[in-house]
Amino acid sequence: MVTWNSYSLQDSNSPNMDQLIMFHDLTMTIVISIMSIISYMFLFLLMNKFTDRFMINEHMIELIWTIIPMITLLFIAMPSIKILYILEETDTPIITVKSIGHQWYWQYELNDMYDINFDSFMIPFNSNQPWIIRLLDVDNRLILPINSPIRMLVTSIDVIHSWTVPSLGIKIDATPGRINQIFMTMNRPGIYFGQCSEICGANHSFMPIVVESTSTNLFLKWIQSFMYL
């Protein structure tokens, strides 16, 4: 989902992104609390004429401001490790999609579904077609069913690319000669935009990604449309 003039994270459409947003909110809460306390202490010591060296240079104080950051880091590290484990968790996939990065477009293969293979190029912006989102829309979208475990295999044919869809919490490198995999499940129907997030050449900004999540029946109809091409 694309929201203009938004400075926050995109709306989540996967369990992984739900966890990442929760971790972001937790970390920002801790960081803002630390900044507020430190700012108050700094102003208090700066403006208080009764401040002496025993208030800012004492063994107990140094012990406190050593132990408290250690505890704070534990509160950040524990959910972070948990989320890293969740992101790497594997499941039995219903569909396997192979994404191949090219300079400068994406190629998709669904070998489980009648050996489907198609390219996805960016649509040039045309003011007569206001429904096209500039630099983000493509001619062939990757259509996938909701509430289904999907395995993405990502590689590249030339240089390093990065298959990234923020709403799904996915950013995985497409490396030549190597196949990386990631699992995802989409919660609801929608159209979700992404871009290559690895500087891959002159047209790096012109190889967007569009994933359309839909019901299983509509997905099967889309698969059947390739049989008549």
Side-chain angles (χ1 to χ4, degrees):
M1 181 179 294
V2 177
T3 304
W4 302 113
N5 299 324
S6 176
Y7 297 97
S8 182
L9 300 173
Q10 295 185 14
D11 293 341
S12 170
N13 188 40
S14 70
N16 290 344
M17 191 59 184
D18 291 338
Q19 295 292 324
L20 292 173
I21 291 176
M22 181 195 68
F23 178 68
H24 170 269
D25 295 342
L26 170 66
T27 306
M28 289 301 296
T29 302
I30 294 175
V31 169
I32 292 173
S33 301
I34 293 173
M35 290 180 59
S36 301
I37 295 172
I38 296 300
S39 299
Y40 171 78
M41 293 175 61
F42 177 78
L43 293 174
F44 177 81
L45 295 174
L46 185 66
M47 302 178 65
N48 188 353
K49 63 180 180 180
F50 298 105
T51 302
D52 58 24
R53 68 183 181 89
F54 295 105
M55 294 184 64
I56 58 178
N57 186 15
E58 203 267 340
H59 290 295
M60 181 57 68
I61 294 178
E62 292 183 1
L63 185 63
I64 291 173
W65 68 40
T66 301
I67 294 177
I68 291 180
M70 293 173 57
I71 297 175
T72 304
L73 289 176
L74 285 177
F75 275 101
I76 296 176
M78 292 175 62
S80 175
I81 295 173
K82 175 185 176 182
I83 293 173
L84 287 175
Y85 175 80
I86 292 174
L87 293 177
E88 295 295 330
E89 187 176 4
T90 60
D91 196 359
T92 302
I94 294 179
I95 303 167
T96 298
V97 181
K98 187 175 182 181
S99 176
I100 304 173
H102 296 258
Q103 289 182 314
W104 287 271
Y105 65 95
W106 293 98
Q107 176 187 354
Y108 297 103
E109 296 179 0
L110 287 80
N111 296 326
D112 298 338
M113 302 288 180
Y114 307 104
D115 198 18
I116 294 173
N117 186 329
F118 63 93
D119 298 332
S120 180
F121 289 89
M122 185 190 75
I123 299 177
F125 179 72
N126 188 341
S127 59
N128 296 324
Q129 298 174 319
W131 59 86
I132 296 177
I133 301 179
R134 181 177 178 270
L135 300 182
L136 285 178
D137 221 336
V138 296
D139 54 356
N140 292 314
R141 297 172 176 174
L142 176 61
I143 300 178
L144 297 172
I146 61 173
N147 298 324
S148 301
I150 300 168
R151 178 175 62 177
M152 287 292 304
L153 302 177
V154 183
T155 186
S156 173
I157 204 70
D158 37 50
V159 299
I160 298 177
H161 301 277
S162 184
W163 201 84
T164 305
V165 183
S167 295
L168 304 180
I170 293 178
K171 183 182 185 298
I172 181 169
D173 287 341
T175 307
R178 179 185 177 92
I179 296 179
N180 295 324
Q181 75 170 1
I182 193 168
F183 287 79
M184 63 179 180
T185 301
M186 290 175 285
N187 295 332
R188 63 182 186 275
I191 301 174
Y192 305 95
F193 297 89
Q195 288 179 301
C196 174
S197 298
E198 188 75 29
I199 299 177
C200 56
N203 291 332
H204 157 70
S205 302
F206 307 108
M207 50 182 306
I209 302 161
V210 180
V211 177
E212 182 175 345
S213 57
T214 184
S215 65
T216 304
N217 290 333
L218 292 177
F219 169 73
L220 293 176
K221 290 182 180 179
W222 177 71
I223 292 296
Q224 292 174 357
S225 67
F226 284 89
M227 301 176 60
Y228 303 103
L229 296 178

